[in-house]
Amino acid sequence: MILVEVYTQNPIAHNQKLTYESDVEIPTGCRVLIELRNRQIVGFVDRCYEGEVDFETKKVLEVIDDEPIITKELFDLAQWLSYQTLSPMIRCLQAILPNPLRPSKSFKAPVIVRMIRLIDVDETLTPRQTEVVEVLKKQGEMPYSDVHQKDKAIVRALIKKGVIEQYEIERDYEEEIVSATSEHKKLTADQQKAVETVTLNNYQSYLLFGATGSGKTEVYLQIAQKVIDQKKQVLILVPEISLTPQMIERFESRFGQDIGIYHSGLNNQEKYEQYKRVKENKVNIIVGTRSCVFLPFSNLGLIVLDEEHDPSFKQETLPYYHAREVAHYRAKLHNCPIILGSASPSLESYAKAIKNVYTLITLPQRINESFPEVKVIDMRAQLRQLKNEVISQELDNAIRDALDHKQQIILLLNRRSYSPIVQCQNCQKALECPHCDTTLAYHKESNAYICHTCGYSQRDNTCNHCGGKAVMMKGLGTQRLEEVIKHKYPSATVARMDADTTKRKNAHFKLLNKFQNREIDILVGTQMIAKGLDMPYVTIVGILQADASLMHDDFSSTEKAFSLILQASGRAGRHDLKGSVYVQSYLPDHYAIQYALRQNYIGFFQEEMNYRHQGNYPPYIYLCEIVLSHTNLEKINELAQRLAYAARNKGLNTLGPAPLRKLSTMKRARIVIKHKNHAELLEMLHQIHEECEISTSNIQVIFNVNPQQLSI
Ligand code: ADP
Ligand code: ZN
């Protein structure tokens, strides 16, 4: 009997494989249709073998794919990922495959195009029919939809006659013609050295530590050129969708080819088309965000992670992977270099560079040799003068001056909504989400109170505590900031860029294009405007509430604040015009702010590493956060106690269990585990997972290894 073991997305199966019977051998990596509990679902074949089992097996209903939809490398990668992140294999496969290929409860076919072509011309044809046949002769084959409306009847008649045949193909990507318009720049001595340091055809990690505007991208371009000459593939990872057009533009204009692109803004079909382009080796440079690291490359010659410190490289849902780790895995397999670039490297990466695990390359100078002038504005003084202005006097002067000179301004406020907190005027309590332990934020555009944790939204402003109606808006969000700025500078064109204004497809690109073309004078937004943008006319950057993240007591919040200020100030004065940065803060003396002002990464690194050492936090140790959630708190506590006991029993440094905020009606608890050795930690986590029978428990348990921050 031929037995087939499949992975399914089914809660009762968890990470177990299910066994079915088949009449034929089915290769690993094909999808099959199977029946489970009287329902048809899609399964993913892990292996097929001749054998017997002592339980009853059902037959595979249908084999969906003729050949595996995943390469051997990616299948192995899924298994590695499943081990590294303690996630079910099916979730790893789903993360790796583009939507139309994902094994899930059902499956969606990619878009099919109806094509026609000539097969026989010996028939006697009418003059009109001959016309159509002549067109097809020239074209060879064409999509039926391209046939002119008036000719459709003729085509149908010809199909009937057997002159034309119709058939179906999957829609393919249509390559665009791109011309090379940008020449190689003559490299500076530092850049030259950087390019020469990177050895091709050899797995080695490089940390390219270069100030903002120091010419890192030019270094990527010139190394990529060498890789392309070898006919190998180049993968460029960027942290944010909004950064892809800029990177694409620079690569396309240099190499004169239609560069591959892959990010969450593409629809399913577009993702699938890009996936196929890579799989069929039709494109050799790909730019994209996190999930791009899973594309089916066959011949990688270089991986670049630009802005490698950025937290968005870590996926914060199952599987909890970090694109940097996956990139290392793939670079090693393809035996190629990986370059991590940043002006404010993650502590982890810089620590590795110091220990020579990564080769450190530095570009200390800005190409235009001028760093922006950075000023910190003490907002406490403003408070003392009872001024409750959003924009300080100094920043206001600078904005007016820049507007007078037709220069552009970026204002960063890392909080969306109109008002992040809405308070009852009667009892002073905040409006809260009925499903989570979080406050609701007011969004003026939709006139709704929205939970940023679970997405819940209500129009009603009745206080849950006293039934009072009148509410007060507390705090400042980007919507309100936009309103304030429009009011304050009526002659300026103001636009806002945050998660709310960029929901629609291509909204990012449209906004940035307008800004690039100077149709916008002042751009207000969240951290998405702080990253990587290279706009020559931006002279003023204002960072409002720069200390907001310093108020959190998470181990990583200082690093985040430092990096945000450094990155944001890197947006000003990148070209010929001199730039100034205004950092408004209630904690102006905080070391993160002080080092960021002086663009002193090394100073910050040393001081922050001291704190990490004292607190026993990464990069000195490896962390794993285990979060349990269920509606029943007793059940959570029981399992959490057992988990913590098992961890302590293995000698692991274990904190908790501690309660967390309720989220989407789920009560939650957390355990934090710290350990010196990564491999050992993983091994023990798997043992604990097994001992506590996590895969058959009905409590949701998430292991987040190397979390970017701890849950609250
Ligand atoms: P980074 O990626 O480090 O922020 P970029 O590569 O974007 O820096 O370089 C900043 C600016 O300097 C860009 O406009 C770029 O075209 C320009 N540039 C980079 N290298 C050179 C060079 N060697 N000569 C002249 N201009 C350069
Ligand atoms: Zn909620």
Side-chain angles (χ1 to χ4, degrees):
M1 177 158 60
I2 301 176
L3 295 172
V4 191
E5 287 182 350
V6 297
Y7 294 108
T8 59
Q9 183 182 29
N10 197 287
I12 59 160
H14 296 283
N15 203 20
Q16 328 274 47
K17 287 181 277 186
L18 301 177
T19 305
Y20 285 78
E21 242 179 87
S22 168
D23 296 332
V24 290
E25 284 265 345
I26 312 170
T28 299
C30 287
R31 289 168 302 171
V32 288
L33 205 59
I34 46 175
E35 194 188 292
L36 183 70
R37 287 184 152 181
N38 297 321
R39 284 182 45 204
Q40 291 194 358
I41 60 168
V42 176
F44 194 92
V45 176
D46 176 46
R47 67 179 193 126
C48 207
Y49 61 102
E50 193 69 46
E52 299 289 329
V53 281
D54 54 6
F55 49 85
E56 217 180 301
T57 46
K58 287 200 186 111
K59 272 219 162 127
V60 165
L61 299 176
E62 189 191 326
V63 182
I64 297 171
D65 308 297
D66 300 335
E67 47 186 273
I69 55 169
I70 191 165
T71 59
K72 169 89 172 61
E73 185 204 338
L74 290 182
F75 190 77
D76 292 346
L77 171 60
Q79 279 176 328
W80 173 83
L81 199 62
S82 170
Y83 182 80
Q84 296 290 316
T85 60
L86 293 99
S87 318
M89 183 65 179
I90 195 81
R91 301 302 292 265
C92 297
L93 290 165
Q94 287 170 341
I96 288 173
L97 290 164
N99 234 330
L101 292 180
R102 265 177 207 170
S104 64
K105 289 199 188 79
S106 58
F107 74 99
K108 294 176 215 78
V111 176
I112 298 293
V113 187
R114 229 165 105 199
M115 300 288 289
I116 52 171
R117 70 178 158 217
L118 219 52
I119 43 170
D120 189 5
V121 278
D122 293 342
E123 292 276 340
T124 45
L125 304 174
T126 65
R128 292 271 284 122
Q129 288 175 337
T130 311
E131 260 176 53
V132 171
V133 165
E134 283 307 312
V135 173
L136 258 183
K137 245 189 206 164
K138 263 190 231 135
Q139 297 236 347
E141 55 176 12
M142 65 193 280
Y144 180 72
S145 59
D146 282 5
V147 176
H148 207 277
Q149 197 55 40
K150 67 176 174 31
D151 295 336
K152 289 227 158 115
I154 299 170
V155 168
R156 278 198 296 274
L158 287 169
I159 291 171
K160 236 184 185 166
K161 269 188 168 179
V163 176
I164 290 176
E165 93 173 324
Q166 61 171 335
Y167 56 100
E168 291 179 335
I169 56 164
E170 281 180 13
R171 196 174 83 192
D172 248 329
Y173 180 77
E174 276 180 48
E175 199 96 4
E176 277 171 30
I177 312 267
V178 178
S179 53
T181 49
S182 108
E183 304 251 297
H184 275 299
K185 298 212 158 49
K186 191 175 167 350
L187 295 179
T188 63
D190 286 333
Q191 283 175 320
Q192 185 64 35
K193 192 154 163 253
V195 171
E196 282 164 10
T197 305
V198 176
T199 314
L200 302 187
N201 308 313
N202 180 37
Y203 169 57
Q204 171 62 29
S205 311
Y206 300 86
L207 178 63
L208 180 58
F209 170 42
T212 52
S214 61
K216 294 187 288 297
T217 310
E218 188 62 34
V219 170
Y220 307 152
L221 282 162
Q222 301 219 6
I223 297 173
Q225 178 72 64
K226 298 204 262 179
V227 176
I228 300 302
D229 292 345
Q230 292 189 337
K231 306 250 175 303
K232 290 191 168 187
Q233 297 162 310
V234 175
L235 165 62
I236 314 281
L237 292 161
V238 294
E240 181 92 40
I241 294 186
S242 54
L243 294 179
T244 49
Q246 193 169 300
M247 197 56 97
I248 295 261
E249 212 276 313
R250 286 183 74 174
F251 274 82
E252 288 194 336
S253 63
R254 182 64 55 86
F255 293 104
Q257 54 159 294
D258 188 356
I259 304 281
I261 181 167
Y262 200 84
H263 55 64
S264 59
L266 302 184
N267 65 30
N268 286 343
Q269 176 64 20
E270 289 168 332
K271 278 189 187 164
Y272 181 61
E273 285 170 11
Q274 296 289 347
Y275 182 89
K276 277 214 305 186
R277 276 177 94 195
V278 176
K279 189 154 187 238
E280 290 161 8
N281 232 326
K282 288 184 176 153
V283 60
N284 51 13
I285 306 174
I286 284 273
V287 174
T289 48
R290 194 171 65 216
S291 57
C292 202
V293 75
F294 293 126
L295 287 177
F297 299 103
S298 49
N299 197 11
L300 264 178
L302 173 69
I303 301 180
V304 172
L305 232 93
D306 194 29
E307 315 287 356
E308 70 89 32
H309 61 275
D310 200 287
S312 62
F313 283 122
K314 169 85 187 230
Q315 172 155 303
E316 294 294 356
T317 53
L318 263 180
Y320 288 74
Y321 70 89
H322 199 298
R324 195 199 293 127
E325 302 309 320
V326 182
H328 276 119
Y329 175 97
R330 299 203 78 182
K332 191 169 177 184
L333 212 88
H334 288 261
N335 199 29
C336 73
I338 166 170
I339 306 178
L340 311 175
S342 178
S344 56
S346 60
L347 294 194
E348 186 188 332
S349 294
Y350 198 75
K352 283 195 174 138
I354 290 181
K355 285 205 279 182
N356 286 325
V357 180
Y358 297 166
T359 305
L360 181 64
I361 309 175
T362 43
L363 295 177
Q365 293 301 325
R366 260 198 174 186
I367 293 291
N368 72 359
E369 289 175 0
S370 103
F371 279 102
E373 187 186 0
V374 187
K375 290 173 207 149
V376 63
I377 296 157
D378 186 350
M379 296 302 275
R380 291 171 307 188
Q382 291 242 339
L383 265 192
R384 279 195 293 273
Q385 294 160 27
L386 293 175
K387 276 197 226 154
N388 198 10
E389 291 278 342
V390 170
I391 303 289
S392 61
Q393 191 60 52
E394 293 96 318
L395 179 54
D396 178 50
N397 292 343
I399 292 175
R400 290 184 194 281
D401 191 53
L403 288 175
D404 285 345
H405 291 89
K406 288 254 147 275
Q407 293 162 359
Q408 292 173 298
I409 296 128
I410 287 180
L411 295 178
L412 176 84
L413 176 68
N414 213 5
R415 260 180 146 177
R416 60 195 183 91
S417 81
Y418 185 81
S419 167
I421 298 173
V422 189
Q423 232 176 25
C424 171
Q425 250 179 16
N426 188 33
C427 73
Q428 314 294 324
K429 292 210 170 94
L431 280 194
E432 278 170 10
C433 173
H435 310 296
C436 310
D437 293 334
T438 42
T439 56
L440 297 175
Y442 178 65
H443 285 241
K444 196 166 188 179
E445 277 159 358
S446 45
N447 187 25
Y449 303 89
I450 298 177
C451 170
H452 285 184
T453 314
C454 75
Y456 166 83
S457 146
Q458 67 180 44
R459 287 282 172 87
D460 184 15
N461 65 357
T462 316
C463 171
N464 344 36
H465 300 280
C466 72
K469 276 278 180 198
V471 289
M472 297 178 289
M473 301 292 166
K474 285 279 158 105
L476 182 70
T478 43
Q479 285 180 15
R480 191 175 191 171
L481 177 63
E482 182 191 12
E483 205 176 271
V484 169
I485 297 298
K486 277 183 172 159
H487 185 76
K488 214 169 155 81
Y489 311 102
S491 64
T493 316
V494 181
R496 171 165 57 93
M497 186 162 164
D498 58 22
D500 297 310
T501 62
T502 52
K503 272 188 202 133
R504 270 169 296 113
K505 195 173 162 64
N506 291 330
H508 287 93
F509 312 140
K510 283 183 194 150
L511 259 172
L512 288 177
N513 253 336
K514 274 188 159 175
F515 194 50
Q516 179 99 51
N517 298 335
R518 300 167 79 189
E519 290 161 46
I520 296 168
D521 300 311
I522 306 180
L523 185 63
V524 171
T526 51
Q527 33 84 23
M528 68 171 71
I529 61 174
K531 302 175 185 177
L533 299 179
D534 187 16
M535 307 277 183
Y537 291 94
V538 174
T539 52
I540 303 294
V541 171
I543 307 173
L544 316 183
Q545 302 181 4
D547 37 37
S549 75
L550 293 174
M551 313 280 188
H552 297 293
D553 58 359
D554 191 77
F555 76 95
S556 64
S557 45
T558 313
E559 183 180 359
K560 282 208 192 90
F562 172 80
S563 151
L564 185 69
I565 300 172
L566 200 86
Q567 292 293 331
S569 34
R571 302 308 119 225
R574 290 171 62 87
H575 293 258
D576 300 336
L577 299 168
K578 182 113 185 80
S580 303
V581 181
Y582 294 81
V583 180
Q584 296 191 166
S585 169
Y586 291 99
L587 299 167
D589 304 322
H590 194 287
Y591 67 96
I593 292 182
Q594 286 298 322
Y595 284 120
L597 291 186
R598 299 186 177 84
Q599 308 265 332
N600 184 352
Y601 174 80
I602 308 282
F604 173 75
F605 175 81
Q606 285 164 345
E607 185 144 356
E608 182 62 12
M609 284 294 272
N610 265 332
Y611 287 108
R612 298 285 181 96
H613 188 64
Q614 282 164 23
N616 200 22
Y617 274 110
Y620 287 98
I621 49 98
Y622 292 91
L623 269 186
C624 174
E625 176 183 75
I626 307 177
V627 176
L628 300 88
S629 40
H630 195 271
T631 46
N632 183 329
L633 193 59
E634 271 167 37
K635 283 190 178 173
I636 293 179
N637 286 340
E638 189 274 325
L639 180 58
Q641 292 295 350
R642 275 199 291 130
L643 274 167
Y645 180 79
R648 290 199 173 99
N649 216 10
K650 297 194 185 306
L652 290 170
N653 182 351
T654 308
L655 312 174
L660 290 178
R661 296 202 302 212
K662 185 173 74 173
L663 200 157
S664 303
T665 70
M666 293 294 216
K667 312 238 170 49
R668 299 182 308 146
R670 165 183 86 192
I671 297 164
V672 174
I673 297 176
K674 298 174 172 184
H675 194 60
K676 268 254 160 232
N677 181 307
H678 187 228
E680 245 176 60
L681 174 64
L682 274 180
E683 178 57 36
M684 287 198 253
L685 289 174
H686 277 277
Q687 288 169 8
I688 295 167
H689 198 280
E690 200 138 295
E691 285 165 23
C692 296
E693 295 176 333
I694 301 299
S695 41
T696 49
S697 143
N698 60 4
I699 295 175
Q700 192 199 48
V701 183
I702 289 204
F703 285 71
N704 187 353
V705 184
N706 303 333
Q708 294 292 292
Q709 62 191 41
L710 295 176
S711 305
I712 44 171

